[in-house]
Amino acid sequence: MKMIAPVLTVLAAILLLWYAATVWMNSQWTYDQAARAGEEVTFSELVTDTLTQKRPVLPAPHQVAVGLWEGVAGQKITSKRSLVFHGWITLSATLAGFALGTGLGILLAVGITHSRAMDLSVMPWAIASQTIPILAIAPMVIVVLASLGITGLLPKAIIAAYLSFFPVLVGMVKGLRAPDHMQLDLLKTYNASQGATFWKLRLPSSMPYLFASLKVGVAASLVGTIVAELPAGATRGLGARLLSGSYYGQTVQIWSALFAAAALAAILVVVVGIIEQITLKRMGMVQ
Amino acid sequence: MTAAPVIQARGLELTFETNDGPVHALKDIDLDIEKGEFVSFIGPSGCGKTTFLRCIAALETPTGGSLTVNGISPEEARKARSYGYVFQAAGLYPWRTIAGNVKLPLEIMGYSKAQQQERVEKVLSLVDLEGFGKKFPWQLSGGMQQRASIARALAFDAEILLMDEPFGALDEIVRDKLNEELLKLWSATNKTIGFVTHSIPEAVYLSTKIVVMSPRPGRIHEVIESTLPKGPRPLDIRDSEEFLQIAHRVREGLRAGHAYDE
C-alpha cells in the first residue's frame, strides 16, 4: 500500500504532461480558426477548445479514454467499429505466430546446443534475420503469400513468428547450456545418454530462461502482427484500425487502437508471467 | 592369496597442453587400492589429487602409464557404472525433491519404479535423511544436502565410492558429524572409498591409507598406512597419541613434499 502514492504521482505527472502537450500542439488550429473569424482567444477558451477538438493533432487523455471505452463497450463485439472485434483478429494471429515462433526457436536452440555445425551455420542467419527491419520484410511476405493464395491469419502469424522466434532461440540456447561442468560430469558418471542429459538436466535447467524469453517473444509477436496488418490495406485487426485512422485523420481512433494494443500486450505478458509462476513453483524452483 | 586390487595405477601420467606449455598434472603415479580400503588423497592445491580421482572416474584421460578399475579400463568401468562420485558441491537439482534427486541415477540406469522406491528409502535411511524425501533441496541445510548427494551416489550400489572434497564447503562441526557418519556407512557397506581432502585430521580420522601428494609435477610423495582400527572410530580417537603420531607423519610428508613452500 506504501507504493500507491508514488505510482499515482508518476501517473498524475504523465497525465499532466500529456494535457500540457495537448494544449500546446492543438493550439495552432484554434488560433487559425480564431484568426479566420477575426476573434481573439482567451487562455481559458484556448484550453477548452484544444481539449475538445474533433480531429486534434494530439487527442487529450479523456478523449482517448472515451474512444477506448466506446470501442470496447459501446459496440456489439461483432461490429467493425468494436475494438474487441479487431483485438481478437490481432490476438488470434499473435497467438498463432507466438506458438509458431516459440516452437521454431526451441527446435533451433536444441539443434544448436547439440550440433557444433548447426551452431556455426544457423546462429549467424538467425542474428542476421533480426537486423532486417520488419517493415521491409512484412509487405514482401504478405504479397508473396497472397500471390500463392494464402491470406488472412497465416501471413500475419508468420511475421509474428519471425519476430518472436529470436528471443526464444537466444534464451533457450543460453538455458540449455546453463548446466555447469559438475552437473554434466555427474551425468557422465552415470553413463547417461545424450537424450537423458537433455530431458533430465538441460531442459529443466532452461525453464527460467525460456519464460524470460517468452515474455519478450509474446510482445514481439503482437508488434509483428500489427505491422503485418498495415501494408496489405487490411480491414480487420488493430493494425488496420491504426491505418484507417491515419487515412482519415482520426487521431482519437489511432490512439485508442494504440492503447488497446498496449493493453493487449500487457495482458499477454502478465499471462505468461502467471504461467511462469505456476510452472516454476510446481517444479520447486521458486520458494 | 590376496584378491586383485580394485584400483591399480602404474607409471600413470597426465600432461595438459596449455598455451604456456605442458603442465604435468600427474607424473609416475604407482598405487594399489584394495577392496574395502578407505584411501585419502591429501596435498596442496595443484598436486593432482582431484585429477587422479577424475582419472579413476574416466572424467580425465591419462596421457601415459596404465590404470585399471576392477581390472578393466576406467572408461569401461564408468560404462559399467562401477562407482558413485560425490562432488564438492552437492549439485542437487533444484526442481527435484530429495527423493527425486536420489532417484536420478536409477531412472537413467533403467531401474523399475518399485526398485527405485525401495532403493531411495534404503539409502536415505543410510545417510539419516528418512522423512526428508519430499523436501526440496533449498529446504535443507548444506550438510543435509551433501548427505543427500552421498545417498544419490550410493543409490545404484556401486562397489567404489569416489569423493572429491565432499565436506570442503561445510563448517567444522557439521564436517565432524558427517565424517563420523561416513565411517559408519563405510563399515556397514564395505565399499572401497577414494577421498580427496585438504584436511589432515579428516584424512587421518577416516582413512586406512593416506596418500600424501606433492605438486609440480603432481606425484605421490608418500603412502601412509594407518594403524588406527578399521571400522567406525569414535570422534575422540583424534585426541589419542596414535592419531597425533599419524597426523604428524602426514604433516612431515607434506612438508618434505614442499606443500608448505610458497
Side-chain angles (χ1 to χ4, degrees):
Chain A
M1 283 299 116
K2 266 187 189 168
M3 307 303 257
I4 280 189
V7 169
L8 289 180
T9 310
V10 170
L11 188 64
I14 291 172
L15 284 176
L16 210 65
L17 273 176
W18 188 347
Y19 271 112
T22 310
V23 172
W24 179 60
M25 292 185 76
N26 297 339
S27 59
Q28 194 59 48
W29 168 264
T30 309
Y31 284 132
D32 287 351
Q33 289 296 96
R36 211 164 292 164
E39 292 166 2
E40 286 289 310
V41 202
T42 65
F43 182 70
S44 69
E45 281 169 349
L46 175 71
V47 171
T48 330
D49 188 69
T50 50
L51 296 186
T52 52
Q53 288 173 7
K54 277 203 94 169
R55 290 182 182 186
V57 178
L58 178 66
H62 66 267
Q63 289 177 299
V64 175
V66 168
L68 205 54
W69 176 252
E70 285 190 345
V72 173
Q75 319 282 338
K76 280 211 294 194
I77 56 166
T78 48
S79 157
K80 287 242 170 182
R81 287 162 65 193
S82 165
L83 281 173
V84 178
F85 168 78
H86 291 287
W88 167 248
I89 301 289
T90 302
L91 178 67
S92 54
T94 299
L95 290 179
F98 178 55
L100 219 60
T102 301
L104 182 68
I106 292 176
L107 277 181
L108 286 177
V110 171
I112 282 171
T113 42
H114 283 88
S115 150
R116 177 120 185 88
M118 251 190 103
D119 188 9
L120 293 175
S121 57
V122 174
M123 203 59 180
W125 289 105
I127 294 167
S129 75
Q130 301 303 301
T131 62
I132 302 165
I134 188 66
L135 275 171
I137 282 262
M140 290 196 285
V141 173
I142 301 282
V143 168
V144 167
L145 286 179
S147 75
L148 295 173
I150 302 169
T151 54
L153 182 137
L154 192 61
K156 295 196 282 182
I158 286 173
I159 290 162
Y162 184 90
L163 280 192
S164 64
F165 90 94
F166 189 67
V168 175
L169 169 63
V170 172
M172 275 306 271
V173 166
K174 179 102 180 136
L176 292 173
R177 285 181 177 157
D180 58 24
H181 274 293
M182 199 202 82
Q183 289 178 311
L184 292 170
D185 277 348
L186 178 70
L187 287 185
K188 207 172 160 192
T189 68
Y190 303 150
N191 196 27
S193 64
Q194 251 199 5
T197 308
F198 176 78
W199 289 110
K200 301 210 182 284
L201 176 60
R202 290 190 189 275
L203 193 64
S205 305
S206 71
M207 282 303 128
Y209 296 85
L210 174 65
F211 280 107
S213 300
L214 288 183
K215 285 185 197 165
V216 181
V218 78
S221 265
L222 184 69
V223 171
T225 305
I226 289 175
V227 168
E229 284 167 349
L230 296 176
T235 51
R236 310 189 317 164
L238 291 175
R241 227 26 214 163
L242 286 174
L243 196 68
S244 72
S246 74
Y247 279 161
Y248 303 112
Q250 295 286 359
T251 46
V252 176
Q253 181 187 326
I254 297 177
W255 281 80
S256 302
L258 273 181
F259 271 81
L264 199 55
I267 291 168
L268 288 172
V269 172
V270 167
V271 167
V272 173
I274 290 170
I275 296 172
E276 174 183 32
Q277 279 294 316
I278 294 171
T279 311
L280 294 187
K281 198 155 202 160
R282 277 211 169 167
M283 288 174 75
M285 286 171 92
V286 285
Q287 300 174 14
Chain B
M1 185 63 199
T2 52
V6 174
I7 293 160
Q8 184 170 57
R10 289 288 177 272
L12 191 73
E13 270 180 43
L14 176 55
T15 309
F16 292 113
E17 294 300 333
T18 70
N19 290 335
D20 298 331
V23 171
H24 298 283
L26 292 173
K27 197 168 164 55
D28 295 333
I29 303 285
D30 292 315
L31 187 72
D32 286 348
I33 298 178
E34 309 292 338
K35 181 167 168 48
E37 273 194 298
F38 196 127
V39 180
S40 283
F41 300 89
I42 190 166
S45 308
C47 71
K49 52 193 189 304
T50 294
T51 309
F52 183 49
L53 206 69
R54 289 174 62 85
C55 284
I56 297 171
L59 295 174
E60 304 283 354
T61 312
T63 48
S66 75
L67 177 64
T68 59
V69 177
N70 283 341
I72 50 180
S73 78
E75 186 67 21
E76 288 165 324
R78 178 174 72 79
K79 290 190 172 140
R81 288 144 176 174
S82 17
Y83 65 84
Y85 201 103
V86 180
F87 293 85
Q88 182 166 8
L92 301 172
Y93 291 179
W95 57 86
R96 280 174 176 250
T97 60
I98 296 303
N101 270 286
V102 175
K103 218 178 270 179
L104 174 72
L106 303 175
E107 286 173 10
I108 290 171
M109 296 174 191
Y111 284 79
S112 74
K113 283 263 186 277
Q115 280 174 314
Q116 291 179 16
Q117 194 62 34
E118 182 198 326
R119 275 163 184 263
V120 166
E121 271 166 35
K122 194 181 118 200
V123 291
L124 279 182
S125 79
L126 264 180
V127 299
D128 255 345
L129 280 179
E130 297 117 319
F132 287 92
K134 290 205 170 79
K135 300 266 188 222
F136 279 102
W138 58 268
Q139 294 171 301
L140 268 60
S141 69
M144 290 167 104
Q145 290 189 19
Q146 195 55 279
R147 289 213 299 256
S149 93
I150 293 172
R152 182 177 59 186
L154 293 170
F156 49 101
D157 222 6
E159 287 293 296
I160 305 168
L161 191 56
L162 301 173
M163 308 178 89
D164 183 7
E165 292 189 50
F167 310 137
L170 303 174
D171 68 65
E172 201 170 337
I173 300 166
V174 174
R175 181 190 275 227
D176 278 353
K177 182 164 164 44
L178 291 186
N179 278 341
E180 202 179 7
E181 286 178 358
L182 180 58
L183 272 190
K184 278 193 199 134
L185 195 146
W186 168 61
S187 35
T189 56
N190 198 33
K191 293 196 187 299
T192 310
I193 298 186
F195 190 95
V196 167
T197 180
H198 271 118
S199 156
I200 297 174
E202 189 171 66
V204 177
Y205 175 68
L206 291 173
S207 316
T208 56
K209 189 191 261 181
I210 301 155
V211 178
V212 180
M213 298 184 71
S214 63
R216 286 176 294 276
R219 62 197 184 281
I220 293 177
H221 177 76
E222 193 182 356
V223 177
I224 298 170
E225 299 281 347
S226 175
T227 53
L228 295 173
K230 203 182 159 184
R233 298 163 178 169
L235 268 177
D236 52 19
I237 202 173
R238 298 186 300 183
D239 301 323
S240 71
E241 192 59 32
E242 202 180 1
F243 184 96
L244 294 175
Q245 272 176 8
I246 300 168
H248 180 74
R249 276 184 64 197
V250 173
R251 188 169 289 111
E252 285 302 307
L254 286 170
R255 181 167 294 132
H258 303 286
Y260 297 111
D261 294 358
E262 269 308 301

